[in-house]
Structures are given as C-alpha cells and as structure tokens.
Amino acid sequence: MKKILVTGGLGYIGSHVVVVLQEAGFDVTIIDDFSNSSIKVLENIFLITGIKPSFFEIDLKDKVKVDTFFKANKIDGIIHFAAYKAVGESVQKPLDYYRNNLEGLLNVLESMEQYQIDNFIFSSSCSVYGQADQMPIIEKTPLKRAESPYGKTKAMGEEIISDFTKAMNKNAISLRYFNPVGSHKSYLLGDKSSGIPNNLLPYITQTASGLREQLIVFGKDYETKDGTAIRDYVDVNDIADAHVLALQYLLHKKNKDKLEFFNLGSGTGSTVLEIIEAFERANNLKIPYTISNRREGDIQEAYADFSKAKEKLHWQPKTSLEISMKTAWEFEKKLKENEFKIPNH
Ligand code: UDP
C-alpha cells in the first residue's frame, strides 16, 4: 500500500482528495496547521470512508518538525496543498504569503531530497496565466505576470519545482485549478473558509442562508456578454479525481518531463450573473445582489482547455454545474443545522 502525504489535507480541495485517495486504496497521512481548517474535517473524512488517516498538526515553516516527521514516516508521494489562498489578503500581507507559501514548499522539497521521495503533486492555479490573450487557455499559453502575491507564489512555486525536479531527478505534476465549486455528496466536506468568504460560491451560499445581506458583484463593465467577469467553474469532486490519476501517472512513470502541467477546468466559461442564475435555478432561491466596482487584481476572462489532462491522465469533468450548485447549497445548509445543534452552555 503506497503511503501518500497530503499537506493541507483538511482544506477544501485537500479533504476531497484525501477521501478519493483512501477509496482508491492509498494509505493517507495528513499534515495541516489548522490555519484555514478544523479538526471536524478529519472526523468527517472518517465518517465518509471509515478510515482514519494519520494526522500531524505541523506548520511547514517549522523545519525541525518537518524533518522529524519525514524521519519517522516513509512516504511514497506527496500532494502539496498547504498554502494561504486569499487573493485580497495576499495584496494586504504579501510577506506572509511569500513566507508561508514558499518556505513551506522549500521545506517539503528539501525533505524529498533528503528522504528519497520521488513523486510530487503541486496544487497550482489558473492565476499563473494572468489575463491570457487567448481563450480557452492551454498549458502552453504564455504565462503573464500573476496579478496578486498569492498568484505569484504559485508561479514561483512552479519555477522552484521545475529547477528542483531537474537537478534532483524527481517527478512532479502541477495541477492548475480553475474555479473549484460544489461539495462532497455526503455534504460533510465543502468550501468552509474562516471569516468572510472571498470566493463567489461560498459568498452566494452564505447570502442564501441569511449570513450575508447581499452579494456584491464586482464589475459590470467587462467586455463580456453581460458585462460581468467570466470564469471556469469546475466541481471539486472532479478536481479530486484528477489527483488520483496524476499520482498513478507518476507512480507508473508515465511522465515524459520531470515537471508536467495540467489545466483542470470544465472547459466552459460562465459570467458572475450566469452563476447567480444557475444557483437560483438549481435551488429554487433568489439571491439579492448589487453591482459595484471591479475588484482589484481581477481579470476579465479565464476558461480552460482540458484536453491535455483528458489525453494523458484520462481525466474529464463529469459533474454538471447544476449539481455543483445543489451540493454547494446542501453543504451550507448542513453547516447551519450543525451550528443550531451546538448546545448552549
Ligand atoms: N465575485 C463577485 N463577488 C464576490 C466574489 C467574487 O462578483 O463576492 C466575482 C469575482 O470578481 C470573479 C468571480 O466572481 O469575477 C470569481 O471570483 P472568485 O474570488 O471566486 O475566484 P477568482 O477567479 O477571483 O480566483
């Protein structure tokens, strides 16, 4: 049984990946520092799969703890999610982002070298493309400057991994996610960040549940069909499946290059207003919203060509936008129910 380390395994995408790895027969170990997650996610993973993953609370910047972990645990592959991800916050606190996202990555890569671990999957983002000139985006689309420090940590991360894999003869895949949405079919895992959500879908579901008064649509003066920005919304369960396929691809040595890149998107671009409408239609609800100015750092349009992932990883998205909208809402409702269940002391 191959032992896979998932850093950030209690986060939104990481937790879904842990579940599908366990279901595919991998022995999963999680490292997480609870910076944007909770121990409840670990319990929910156990409820879904019946398997308790090994868990270590480690901040990856803590080199001593990281080293102690790798000394004691034999690992066959690493899927590295652990990173800060709030675009707006990264503009306010760039050094926190550079230190956390890059130092954590460097410590993990150094351990790969020291403890002879060959396979690495990096959680990257379509933000590395910046505002691409051509749609849909393919992996060869030239990278523009990422707009935010967050996006830059992903672009720099890819550069670091590229140099490292060449020099040390390691194998890596960088998965560039477009906009993940939806939740696990049990509604036990989903997009639950601490504080006010930055991303569109959790903001919509929190507005639907009454936690937020209204959604603010950032910009209606883009050159798109309805003036709002276009993104590629792809179901988190489909994204999770791609990690298992990417891992098997590396373990079976199917890669030609030391570092290979794959876009993970649905292939379809949707405007913000189309997403609001899709959510309303799928759940028979109304979302109050107002239009405001563009958000700093936002691009007009991004959607993926995923044919490389289809050809090499045999991956393709299976979940409709309607289902993602439904599961996102069911997850939010369940969160609310759980809050109500907490007894008063
Ligand atoms: N968006 C919005 N209101 C919000 C959050 C997001 O209008 O409260 C828009 C945002 O400007 C972008 C799209 O929704 O056009 C997706 O934003 P998100 O932050 O989810 O992902 P991004 O593509 O920026 O990483």
Side-chain angles (χ1 to χ4, degrees):
M1 213 185 201
K2 295 278 183 196
K3 199 161 173 175
I4 306 304
L5 169 66
V6 181
T7 74
L10 299 184
Y12 175 38
I13 306 177
S15 58
H16 287 80
V17 169
V18 169
V19 166
V20 289
L21 284 172
Q22 289 183 327
E23 287 169 350
F26 290 100
D27 178 5
V28 183
T29 297
I30 296 174
I31 287 182
D32 201 293
D33 68 354
F34 297 122
S35 58
N36 194 16
S37 61
S38 85
I39 195 73
K40 183 94 181 88
V41 177
L42 194 63
E43 292 164 22
N44 287 349
I45 290 169
F46 178 59
L47 280 177
I48 293 168
T49 64
I51 307 165
K52 232 187 186 110
S54 312
F55 174 72
F56 296 83
E57 183 183 348
I58 298 173
D59 175 346
L60 293 177
K61 295 191 288 301
D62 188 335
K63 179 79 182 149
V64 174
K65 279 199 184 151
V66 171
D67 194 61
T68 308
F69 167 83
F70 280 103
K71 207 173 272 168
N73 294 277
K74 197 199 153 319
I75 297 293
D76 299 297
I78 300 173
I79 306 185
H80 180 61
F81 291 98
Y84 295 161
K85 62 166 188 176
V87 175
E89 185 185 58
S90 79
V91 178
Q92 309 300 326
K93 302 177 181 171
L95 298 186
D96 284 2
Y97 272 69
Y98 289 119
R99 186 179 295 282
N100 188 64
N101 293 6
L102 297 179
E103 204 172 317
L105 172 66
L106 290 171
N107 284 341
V108 171
L109 296 179
E110 271 173 4
S111 300
M112 280 181 72
E113 185 184 339
Q114 193 170 349
Y115 296 97
Q116 285 101 44
I117 302 164
D118 287 334
N119 305 301
F120 185 80
I121 295 177
F122 184 56
S123 167
S124 189
S125 160
C126 65
S127 60
V128 299
Y129 294 109
Q131 179 57 72
D133 291 330
Q134 280 196 334
M135 295 295 139
I137 296 171
I138 58 170
E139 290 79 359
K140 286 197 177 116
T141 298
L143 303 194
K144 297 270 191 66
R145 249 178 109 72
E147 293 280 345
S148 65
Y150 160 76
K152 286 176 194 159
T153 67
K154 292 296 175 188
M156 288 175 191
E158 289 187 345
E159 294 288 348
I160 292 168
I161 296 161
S162 172
D163 292 340
F164 167 77
T165 49
K166 262 184 239 148
M168 300 299 153
N169 198 27
K170 306 285 186 190
N171 299 306
I173 284 179
S174 180
L175 296 175
R176 292 172 173 163
Y177 318 135
F178 282 67
N179 292 56
V181 287
S183 81
H184 189 264
K185 60 178 188 280
S186 63
Y187 315 135
L188 288 167
L189 305 174
D191 193 354
K192 167 86 179 76
S193 292
S194 49
I196 301 172
N198 292 286
N199 294 117
L200 180 60
L201 244 291
Y203 210 105
I204 289 179
T205 58
Q206 289 200 4
T207 307
S209 79
L211 275 171
R212 315 266 155 224
E213 209 173 304
Q214 60 180 357
L215 171 74
I216 296 158
V217 174
F218 299 133
K220 204 175 180 297
D221 57 348
Y222 288 106
E223 282 171 33
T224 61
K225 53 183 145 175
D226 61 22
T228 64
I230 290 177
R231 297 286 184 278
D232 181 331
Y233 297 87
V234 52
D235 195 85
V236 67
N237 297 287
D238 292 336
I239 288 196
D241 289 343
H243 291 73
V244 178
L245 296 169
L247 186 62
Q248 283 160 342
Y249 181 84
L250 288 181
L251 291 170
H252 295 127
K253 307 208 178 303
K254 297 212 170 118
N255 57 310
K256 299 224 161 48
D257 298 325
K258 296 275 109 195
L259 169 61
E260 294 187 6
F261 305 93
F262 293 97
N263 285 343
L264 299 181
S266 71
T268 304
S270 306
T271 67
V272 178
L273 295 184
E274 282 174 335
I275 291 298
I276 297 173
E277 204 191 308
F279 184 85
E280 290 181 332
R281 210 175 330 114
N283 298 303
N284 205 16
L285 282 166
K286 273 282 166 217
I287 300 296
Y289 70 87
T290 51
I291 310 282
S292 92
N293 296 334
R294 292 182 182 194
R295 182 171 66 178
E296 200 187 333
D298 267 357
I299 54 164
Q300 172 160 289
E301 187 175 27
Y303 58 94
D305 178 325
F306 61 84
S307 41
K308 187 176 173 197
K310 188 173 179 185
E311 189 202 329
K312 304 226 167 183
L313 302 179
H314 307 295
W315 175 83
Q316 64 180 30
K318 296 186 284 211
T319 313
S320 68
L321 187 61
E322 186 188 357
I323 296 291
S324 304
M325 295 294 123
K326 282 192 168 137
T327 61
W329 176 227
E330 293 303 326
F331 173 71
E332 184 71 46
K333 281 197 286 186
K334 204 169 171 111
L335 277 180
K336 204 170 173 183
E337 281 164 26
N338 289 339
E339 273 167 34
F340 289 142
K341 276 189 206 138
I342 297 168
N344 288 327
H345 293 290

